[in-house]
Structures are given as structure tokens and as C-alpha cells.
Amino acid sequence: MLFAVPPLAGHVNPTAAVGAELASRGHEVAWTGPASALARMLPPSARVLPAGDDSGGGYAALHERWRDLRGVGALRFLWEEALVPLARAMVPGVARAVRGFAPDVVVCDQQALAGPLAARRLGVPWVTSASTSAELTGPFAGFPKVGEWVAGQVAGLLAEFGEGGGDGGDGGGWDPRFSELLVLVFSTPELLGPGAVSAPHHAYVGPAFGARPAGPGFPWRRLDPGRRRVLVSLGTLNQEAGARFYRAVLGAAERLAPQVQLVLAAPAALVGEVPGHVLLRPSVPQLELLPHLDAVVCHGGHNTVCEALAYGLPLVVAPIRDDQPIVARQVADAGAGVRVRFGRTGAEELRDAITAVLDDPGPRRAARRIQASFAAAGGAAAAADRLEKLT
């Protein structure tokens, strides 16, 4: 099995879990993508075949330009400056990896479009790894012009590589974001809701958790047993955009001080001084920390949301861009949390939202219902089962 992935932790992590499960069953497993970035995200034993490597710091420069964008501007940037250029850069390396590793199946992340391009050209079966559920909820149903523009980006990329356009104009009729063989969805219908797109070859396996590189140290003794504990995290890519939000967090922390301890994962330089009952860390070992928490405040990243729900924790979600508003809507519609406005939320609104998910039993019940659906879906083992059936 060859996993084609972009250099993004939220997209790599599920494949690491599935890859470990497949390896434990005796399969040969490798990853292809920007090698220097993947080496930091995968276990040391992982076999990485370079494709589109970033030796000049280009991804860091992209992040600097991306972090302040919102809405359609962020979407245009994602396609024009990230996904399409990444596909162009990765195609030669992915093709080399397919030829050299000779996989039975290529597992392609939806944002690693080079995977389907190379696999299809070389006649190797490929499947989709949907590490976020946004594409399976009709995200542009209310914005047809935006959907047409995205389809045009896909069709243009395929035409550039001599493939049939995604709109089927030449009879090709295929889309590199959706395998017709198998789509692994790392979520469940209980979270996606009734609007989720489904088909017999869509496998809702729930989130896949596995071994990751060693996380940062954590002062476990500072967790206060007399207060309810809430993690506040904007993920790894959004922290620099959070200066205003962090002020609201500290204001909410002051108002919640007698009952709640906030664990704030953020750069100290952006947050400033914090009161003694707030535990500020630049990063946290999230999976290890979640069992010790009562709720999570986050940006709506698919990984963070699914990890919190896998532990039955209700959420306050403040989406920023990309798929995050869609994931936040899923959380709110499922009753598992409260959505707030990232750019406008004040201390009192945030306090009220945190209080709501802690005191109202409804969000916790909904979170535990989704937790049960995740467990039943099977995670990495279920994904490996589906992949084995293709070999």
C-alpha cells in the first residue's frame, strides 16, 4: 500500500494509523510526498518516498500568506497557490514511487491530487482518503458559482496532464478527489448529519488514531482536580491568527476562574501574562491529554473535533476558514457543541458557550453518541479491512 499525502499533519495522521495496522498484518507500506515534512509527522520507521520535497521553505512562506485569509479568498488561495502547485510538484515523484514500490493500491488524500494522476496514468488502482468530511456534504450547494470555479480548477489540472476533465466534457468524467473504487471517510454519519453524500463504495470508518512522533512534555501535576478542565487549541497552523481570540479566552478564564481551569495551547508571545489557574503551553500532547478534560474549545479542525468526540467531550467551535465552518456546523447540528464567531467573540460570549457545554447535559450526551458511533465504525482496523479486500 502506498499513501500519497500532502505535508499536513491532519491529513497524514489517519494514514499513519491505517499504515501501522496494515503493517501489523504483514503488508508492505510506504508514503510519498514532501519527504522532509513527512519525516516529522510519521514514525521513524516509516518508509517515505520523496515527491515534491520542500527544501526551500516554500510551505512556510505559503503559510505566512494564508493565515490571515478568510472565505472565498482562502478557498482561491488553497487551490491556486497550494493544491494545484503541490500536485504539479508531486506528480514526478509519485510516479517514481509507484514504479519503484509497485503498490497494489495507492491511497490518495483528497488534497494530494498527484496520487490519482500518477496512479491512473500507470494503471494502478487508487482509493481516496477523506481526512476531512467537508467534500462529502455538498459544500457548495448554496454557492453554485464557487462550486463551478472549483470544478474548473480540477478540470484545468487534469487537462494540464492530458487527462479527461473533471466535468466529463471529453467523456473522461472522473474527479481526482473521489475514487470510484473506494472512499475512506474518517468520520461517521452521526457527525456528518443527514446531508452527507453516501454510496456503496463510501466507507465511513470513523477517526483513525495510532502512534505518532513523541509529543511535547506536559506538567501533569498542574492539572487542578478541583476545577473542570477545558483545552483551548487553534491547531498547529492557526495560532498566529489568534491574538484577538486569545484575549477573549483570557477574559472568559477570569470569569470562569472559580470552577474551570483552561489549558491554553498557544504561543506565549501572543497571549502575554496569564493568571495562575490558566495552564499555558506552546503545544500539548493532545491525545494523552483528552482523557483528563471535560470539554474542548477549538477552531473546527477535523482532527481536533474528531479526537475530542472520540473521548465523548463536548465542544465550543470557532471556525476560521477552509472546511472548518462545515465541521463546526456538523458539531452544532449534532448537538455536540456550540459554535461561536472566531473574529467577533468576546469574553462573555465565550464564557457563556463554555458554560453551556459544561453545564447542559445535552452536548455531552450528543458527544457520547458520536463517540459510540466512532467506536462501532472501527477506525484504522476497518479501513485496513476495506483496503485488504482490494488486493
Side-chain angles (χ1 to χ4, degrees):
M1 305 288 179
L2 177 65
F3 293 91
V5 291
L8 299 167
H11 297 251
V12 174
N13 287 342
T15 70
V18 177
E21 177 67 22
L22 289 166
S24 74
R25 302 181 185 190
H27 298 280
E28 289 187 69
V29 180
W31 283 261
T32 184
S36 58
L38 298 191
R40 297 190 295 270
M41 302 172 191
L42 291 166
S45 60
R47 181 177 180 181
V48 178
L49 307 174
D53 204 2
D54 174 38
S55 57
Y59 298 120
L62 278 177
H63 177 246
E64 289 292 321
R65 295 162 54 200
W66 164 84
R67 67 185 185 190
D68 294 323
L69 296 174
R70 304 286 187 275
V72 174
L75 181 69
R76 291 185 66 91
F77 184 89
L78 176 68
W79 279 96
E80 294 179 342
E81 304 294 333
L83 298 187
V84 171
L86 179 64
R88 293 189 187 113
M90 283 180 58
V91 162
V94 174
R96 285 193 300 271
V98 172
R99 293 190 185 99
F101 187 61
D104 296 291
V105 178
V106 183
V107 183
C108 307
D109 185 271
Q110 281 188 313
Q111 294 192 358
L113 303 175
L117 284 166
R120 183 179 169 96
R121 177 177 294 178
L122 296 172
V124 178
W126 63 277
V127 307
T128 296
S129 170
S131 52
T132 174
S133 57
E135 292 279 6
L136 294 160
T137 60
F140 308 121
F143 308 94
K145 293 295 184 183
V146 177
E148 291 172 8
W149 182 85
V150 170
Q153 294 296 303
V154 173
L157 176 67
L158 297 183
E160 184 177 331
F161 285 90
E163 296 285 348
D167 61 0
D170 65 348
W174 73 287
D175 189 327
R177 296 169 296 173
F178 302 100
S179 168
E180 296 180 355
L181 184 62
L182 175 63
V183 177
L184 293 172
V185 186
F186 293 100
S187 186
T188 60
E190 284 76 9
L191 176 57
L192 269 68
V197 177
S198 188
H201 66 292
H202 289 182
Y204 285 85
V205 300
F209 305 136
R212 298 179 185 177
F218 188 79
W220 297 100
R221 293 183 179 180
R222 287 190 58 193
L223 290 177
D224 188 344
R227 290 182 168 98
R228 289 179 289 180
R229 297 179 288 269
V230 177
L231 172 65
V232 180
S233 172
L234 298 181
T236 55
L237 297 178
N238 298 286
Q239 290 180 333
E240 293 88 347
R244 184 196 175 282
F245 189 75
Y246 295 141
R247 290 195 295 273
V249 169
L250 293 183
E254 181 180 355
R255 292 160 171 80
L256 294 167
Q259 299 89 24
V260 177
Q261 179 185 34
L262 295 187
V263 180
L264 176 55
L270 283 179
V271 177
E273 293 293 325
V274 300
H277 69 286
V278 173
L279 180 48
L280 175 65
R281 304 291 294 176
S283 59
V284 298
Q286 189 160 289
L287 282 179
E288 292 84 354
L289 180 60
L290 288 170
H292 303 275
L293 301 175
D294 296 283
V296 172
V297 178
C298 73
H299 60 303
H302 194 261
N303 260 27
T304 300
V305 164
C306 286
E307 288 174 5
L309 292 172
Y311 285 91
L313 299 177
L315 293 134
V316 175
V317 191
I320 305 173
R321 62 172 74 81
D322 299 335
D323 65 331
Q324 297 159 18
I326 297 171
V327 176
R329 185 183 68 233
Q330 292 173 2
V331 170
D333 288 349
V338 175
R339 177 176 177 170
V340 298
R341 301 165 297 177
F342 176 77
R344 299 182 181 181
T345 298
E348 292 188 1
E349 182 182 354
L350 189 57
R351 175 205 60 191
D352 292 346
I354 293 172
T355 301
V357 300
L358 289 174
D359 292 347
D360 183 346
R364 185 167 297 276
R365 281 198 300 265
R368 288 176 175 169
R369 184 181 70 251
I370 296 169
Q371 177 188 29
S373 79
F374 284 177
D385 290 344
R386 293 298 296 260
L387 289 169
E388 282 187 321
K389 291 178 180 178
L390 302 177
T391 62

